[in-house]
Amino acid sequence: MWFAVPTIGTLVLCAAMFYGGGTHYWGPLESDLTNQFFPWRVFIHRWFSRGIFPYWDPHIFSGYPTVESQQMLNMHPLHLLSVFLDPRVGLTVFTALNTFIACVGMLWALRRWCACSPMAAALGAGLYVFGALFAVRVMAGHITVVTALAWWPLAALSVLRMVRQIPAMSGASAWHREKNTLLAAPGYLLSNKRFRRLAAVSALSHAMVCLAGAPQYIVYLFYIDLAILAAVARRDTWAGCLASLAAVWVLALVISAPQWLPALWYLPYTGRATTSGGATGLNLGPMQNFLLELVMPFPFGDDLTYGHLHFKNVWETATYPGGAALVLSLALVVRVIAWRVVRITKKERTAASVTPLAVAAAVILLLGFYMMIGGWLPGFSGFREPLKARALIAFGFAIAAAATFDLAILRGPQWKKSLWIAVIAAALLIGYAGQYTGTQTFKELVKGFGVPMDPLAADDYRQFLANPEDAALRYYVSYVAGQLGVLVVLIVLLARHPRRWLAALFLFWIALGDPFYHHARAWVARHPWDRAGLPAPVVDYFKPLLEDSAGELPWRVVLHSGIINRTHHLEGLYEYYGYDPLMPAQGVTRMLVKGVQNADGIDKLAQRKELLQRVGARYDASHWLPGSGDAADNAPADIIVVPQATLFDVTRKVLAGTPGEQRFGADMKGFHYVVPASQGGLARSVQPSAEFGQYIDQTFPDAAEASSTGTLAPGETVALHSTGRPDEYGVRVSLKSPALVVYKGTWLPGWHIVLDGADAGPAMFANNWMPAAIVPKGDHKIVFRYRPVGFTASLAMAALGMLAILLMIMYNGRKLRS
């Protein structure tokens, strides 16, 4: 019966995502769902439906890989199962399925592996799914984060169960007697069928997190595992626990190799490699906002029904767990700290009644708070990382509330002192929030935060300053909800049997019903999917042009940033810009039109055309805005056409070297700079070897006097031809002398040249950006073909990993003897 509470609630949330029969999407009008994940799903679905696995996405950044560690989810099993559905339905099914897995996974892990009561397991699962952690990530359309978080409970709590099963190294068996050896855990794994299967499930769950495409949450899971190990492992089992955890992670990484291994080859050429990182120091600046949003549901706005008034986005700040969950978690932290102090000072092992689950939850919570304020840890840097790390706090709250419910509510009065301390602490926190319940004080609070970081909330911020009464009222309602949580816990404390069960129902309402009530609207589908596509004027203008091109496309476009990434919706429509954390290094610079998009006058317009010609863009539709129903937004765009620009360039003006860090494309004299692929490096100068320089001089002896960029000698021809794949680009040429054929797209390791049907080796690295090939004179067919480096090897690794998992689950041999 208790399992039905969060399960039915989660099914209601999932059903809300299909409101309107699958014709609507959830979240706000503009989000990562509409600008990233939905366009990518449209692209992937298009090619998968044709039986083609697309290795390259030509629609943004002049192309970039689809097998990448960040976002595409190409290798996630659940994604592959849903990718053949209509993109709108498939994306909703995928997100709903992961939400349901989060609930069932937490229920199973708490009940089966952590021995929680059904009520406690239901409490933990409901808090995890109904709280702000999932609500704001679903609302924001962060599909990769939802996918990773869905598998956290199974991954982390399986490690807790494994650690509790590791035998002491001073056991009776011969392979236990060797102290300080790492052979104990592998031996136990091989000999114990139950442990093998648990390790297999743990490895699979970790692999699913790795395949989710959210690298930060892989790092956070790793730290959660270490926190569990530090909290639960006994001194005489440390070596075995470390060996078991290492085995789980190695197996998970082997299984997920197709997601991350190819990325290692092109990661140095991305924006991630050129941005500054480093450790962050402790920063208590966001603490005030965090404390207020910790006990109240969206006091500064939810970005769905009204804009978030804080200087950060709601999904960067909100962690609302419910007042009751806050008290239960604080009580657990107080109890565990007291237990550790008594153990240290009095050397008593049973100073307080705490379970391994409680200790692990407390350590995860403390780790989350440390990471939230920017504490230094490897792989943890950047201004957003401390905010994203609050996922650990929400995860810790869910586990801590479940553990405390069992220990304090159902197992006697010995926890009352800790609960009273927690109630007082929560009351003080809510009392602190109460000083801002007045309209004027709340207005001063929000003004102190400054203008919101999200430009979509700027209008709401200005409207709030002019009329703060409505927002202050919402803050006051949130404040009352927080007070109610503390009062309910007081009722539970004072309740005696049999009224305890009635008090537990009140507790469930404030810990589960209250977050569900406030956050359920984040899942509701409310906007037509058509609003997430390209505006009708864009489609009406470009679709006939695409049909006339018969698949041979010699041009790209520059679109307004408001409809960025949406060229995926129209096959053959490619753009130079885009958005993705792994964007190519200096991606904006390569457009070479950003600085002159609003140029006026004939002279500037001519300069703009010249720049467009150099980078190969043929249409500049940057004045198109997203369709909002206004006549101005749907008016014809100011389109600049450069007919002579193509995606391919045939030239003989070639030099060995690089033009510099900030220059992409041929220089103003038409010279192309070429280095071998092995020496390529985006956004950095490269000096090729002397032998290569001589090779270029010999191949193009009269470069200075040769034809200028983009022109052909009399009698020479060039024609594009399609191979029917998005990761291959072909051109037929008839040349009277050797020439450099340049493909105006993003060079990465993995680009190869196929010359007249034979492999001609890796593409050269031209102009600090482009793939290129030296083609001899005569008639030839050149194909630029992209295949991820190491992809075949990663598939073989994944197959071996799955084979190991099957053996671990199915092997029933005799138990090893000493």
Side-chain angles (χ1 to χ4, degrees):
M1 180 187 68
W2 288 108
F3 287 168
V5 175
T7 303
I8 293 175
T10 303
L11 289 175
V12 170
L13 295 179
C14 294
M17 300 179 72
F18 291 91
Y19 179 77
T23 60
H24 293 73
Y25 67 89
W26 62 96
L29 274 172
E30 293 292 327
S31 67
D32 284 347
L33 175 70
T34 57
N35 292 328
Q36 281 188 277
F37 295 104
F38 180 51
W40 289 337
R41 172 60 75 107
V42 170
F43 168 76
I44 295 295
H45 169 78
R46 178 187 302 136
W47 291 102
F48 268 68
S49 300
R50 299 174 184 176
I52 294 175
F53 188 104
Y55 298 106
W56 189 256
D57 179 359
H59 287 275
I60 54 177
F61 307 129
S62 299
Y64 83 131
T66 61
V67 181
E68 48 108 1
S69 64
Q70 280 291 135
Q71 309 287 347
M72 283 273 185
L73 292 163
N74 269 351
M75 307 309 300
H76 196 282
L78 298 182
H79 185 274
L80 292 175
L81 289 175
S82 63
V83 76
F84 292 99
L85 299 173
D86 178 90
R88 299 172 297 180
V89 176
L91 197 59
T92 306
V93 167
F94 177 68
T95 309
L97 186 58
N98 278 295
T99 305
F100 186 73
I101 288 172
C103 174
V104 175
M106 184 66 94
L107 277 172
W108 170 272
L110 288 175
R111 177 63 177 154
R112 180 76 173 176
W113 293 333
C114 301
C116 289
S117 67
M119 289 180 65
L123 180 68
L127 280 171
Y128 188 56
V129 177
F130 300 161
L133 176 63
F134 268 80
V136 297
R137 291 297 179 174
V138 169
M139 176 193 66
H142 295 164
I143 308 304
T144 54
V145 177
V146 173
T147 306
L149 293 176
W151 294 90
W152 266 19
L154 290 172
L157 296 181
S158 63
V159 169
L160 176 64
R161 180 65 173 172
M162 286 174 56
V163 170
R164 294 295 296 166
Q165 287 189 1
I166 298 294
M169 295 177 63
S170 57
S173 300
W175 47 267
H176 282 162
R177 294 193 188 116
E178 294 291 334
K179 288 191 175 183
N180 300 321
T181 178
L182 296 181
L183 295 179
Y188 187 71
L189 187 151
L190 292 173
S191 64
N192 190 294
K193 177 180 175 181
R194 222 176 246 186
F195 187 88
R196 283 201 314 271
R197 292 184 174 179
L198 179 61
V201 172
S202 183
L204 278 175
S205 302
H206 281 77
M208 294 297 278
V209 175
C210 295
L211 289 167
Q216 297 98 329
Y217 296 86
I218 302 173
V219 176
Y220 302 156
L221 176 61
F222 177 73
Y223 287 132
I224 289 174
D225 287 349
L226 291 183
I228 291 173
L229 203 65
V232 179
R234 301 186 304 275
R235 186 175 58 181
D236 54 356
T237 64
W238 260 102
C241 292
L242 282 173
S244 298
L245 183 60
V248 165
W249 272 99
V250 168
L251 195 53
L253 291 174
V254 169
I255 295 172
S256 60
Q259 181 78 353
W260 58 265
L261 184 60
L264 298 181
W265 297 94
Y266 63 78
L267 195 62
Y269 303 96
T270 67
R272 289 276 184 175
T274 59
T275 55
S276 59
T280 57
L282 298 179
N283 180 15
L284 300 177
M287 185 59 72
Q288 181 185 36
N289 172 82
F290 171 77
L291 292 176
L292 294 176
E293 294 209 343
L294 181 64
V295 294
M296 290 183 261
F298 306 133
F300 303 117
D302 60 6
D303 278 359
L304 184 67
T305 56
Y306 50 93
H308 198 257
L309 302 175
H310 189 256
F311 68 98
K312 299 290 185 185
N313 305 87
V314 60
W315 49 82
E316 305 283 13
T317 56
T319 57
Y320 173 63
L326 174 66
V327 173
L328 293 174
S329 301
L330 288 177
L332 183 140
V333 174
V334 169
R335 191 66 169 173
V336 170
I337 292 176
W339 171 64
R340 297 296 300 182
V341 170
V342 172
R343 284 191 62 181
I344 293 172
T345 57
K346 298 184 179 180
K347 298 182 179 179
E348 296 180 11
R349 295 183 62 84
T350 58
S353 57
V354 292
T355 67
L357 177 65
V359 179
V363 174
I364 291 172
L365 272 174
L366 294 175
L367 173 69
F369 277 101
Y370 171 75
M371 296 178 73
M372 182 201 72
I373 58 177
W376 183 88
L377 281 173
F380 181 74
S381 63
F383 79 100
R384 285 195 174 190
E385 299 305 317
L387 304 174
K388 294 177 181 178
R390 292 175 184 175
L392 277 79
I393 298 177
F395 183 61
F397 269 129
I399 300 174
T404 310
F405 185 85
D406 263 350
L407 294 168
I409 307 300
L410 299 179
R411 296 186 183 180
Q414 64 267 32
W415 277 66
K416 277 197 172 182
K417 183 183 296 185
S418 298
L419 280 168
W420 276 107
I421 294 174
V423 168
I424 294 172
L428 291 175
L429 177 58
I430 294 177
Y432 169 77
Q435 64 180 311
Y436 302 111
T437 53
T439 300
Q440 188 60 34
T441 55
F442 182 67
K443 180 178 180 180
E444 295 301 321
L445 172 67
V446 176
K447 282 181 65 178
F449 289 147
V451 180
M453 184 178 174
D454 188 350
L456 297 175
D459 290 339
D460 297 279
Y461 180 76
R462 287 189 289 269
Q463 185 176 359
F464 158 76
L465 293 181
N467 185 20
E469 289 79 10
D470 292 340
L473 177 61
R474 288 190 289 267
Y475 180 89
Y476 180 76
V477 172
S478 298
Y479 176 75
V480 171
Q483 286 182 316
L484 184 60
V486 177
L487 292 175
V488 168
V489 175
L490 283 172
I491 295 174
V492 174
L493 280 172
L494 298 173
R496 296 179 181 272
H497 187 79
R499 288 180 296 173
R500 175 170 292 172
W501 294 101
L502 181 61
L505 291 177
F506 281 108
L507 180 71
F508 261 64
W509 165 249
I510 199 62
L512 299 184
D514 181 43
F516 180 90
Y517 171 77
H518 284 97
H519 300 157
R521 63 179 180 269
W523 274 267
V524 178
R526 65 191 73 240
H527 307 298
W529 278 110
D530 293 341
R531 295 290 299 271
L534 280 168
V538 180
V539 177
D540 295 340
Y541 183 84
F542 283 109
K543 194 170 183 179
L545 297 174
L546 293 170
E547 293 173 350
D548 292 342
S549 67
E552 296 187 355
L553 306 172
W555 45 269
R556 288 193 175 101
V557 301
V558 178
L559 293 178
H560 188 277
S561 59
I563 50 177
I564 208 166
N565 286 16
R566 298 195 188 185
T567 52
H568 291 89
H569 292 286
L570 200 55
E571 184 176 359
L573 189 64
Y574 306 148
E575 58 185 304
Y576 261 85
Y577 195 47
Y579 172 71
D580 181 81
L582 281 185
M583 66 176 65
Q586 304 295 331
V588 176
T589 311
R590 288 181 206 161
M591 278 198 331
L592 292 177
V593 295
K594 192 173 182 63
V596 290
Q597 279 184 350
N598 299 318
D600 297 321
I602 297 177
D603 294 337
K604 292 184 179 180
L605 187 63
Q607 179 190 16
R608 188 175 176 183
K609 286 186 176 181
E610 180 184 354
L611 291 174
L612 284 166
Q613 178 181 353
R614 286 175 56 196
V615 297
R618 190 171 180 176
Y619 294 92
D620 178 6
S622 59
H623 289 199
W624 250 312
L625 294 173
S628 62
D630 298 335
D633 288 347
N634 293 320
D638 177 15
I639 301 171
I640 297 177
V641 182
V642 186
Q644 67 271 29
T646 67
L647 291 183
F648 289 93
D649 201 350
V650 177
T651 183
R652 295 169 181 83
K653 300 183 72 173
V654 184
L655 297 175
T658 174
E661 296 184 357
Q662 299 297 326
R663 181 177 297 166
F664 300 93
D667 64 16
M668 298 306 291
K669 295 182 179 179
F671 280 97
H672 286 274
Y673 294 78
V674 183
V675 296
S678 60
Q679 295 180 276
L682 292 179
R684 61 187 179 92
S685 299
V686 177
Q687 290 298 327
S689 64
E691 292 77 6
F692 183 77
Q694 294 175 0
Y695 169 63
I696 294 296
D697 292 339
Q698 293 171 0
T699 307
F700 307 102
D702 301 319
E705 291 78 24
S707 60
S708 61
T709 302
T711 62
L712 297 170
E716 292 186 330
T717 60
V718 57
L720 297 169
H721 74 92
S722 173
T723 63
R725 295 185 59 98
D727 45 32
E728 296 180 356
Y729 302 90
V731 60
R732 291 187 177 92
V733 296
S734 179
L735 303 174
K736 292 187 175 180
S737 62
L740 184 76
V741 177
V742 179
Y743 167 58
K744 294 180 179 178
T746 302
W747 182 95
L748 284 177
W751 276 111
H752 273 252
I753 304 299
V754 179
L755 182 62
D756 298 328
D759 187 359
M764 291 183 175
F765 190 78
N767 306 317
N768 210 16
W769 173 31
M770 307 170 184
I774 293 178
V775 181
K777 67 177 182 179
D779 298 336
H780 301 283
K781 183 173 70 173
I782 304 102
V783 176
F784 291 82
R785 174 178 295 168
Y786 179 80
R787 296 294 183 269
V789 180
F791 188 57
T792 303
S794 68
L795 291 176
M797 291 172 60
L800 290 175
M802 289 305 301
L803 179 61
I805 291 289
L806 290 175
L807 290 175
M808 292 169 65
I809 293 175
M810 300 177 63
Y811 178 67
N812 289 312
R814 292 183 302 169
K815 185 175 181 180
L816 294 180
R817 300 182 184 274
S818 61

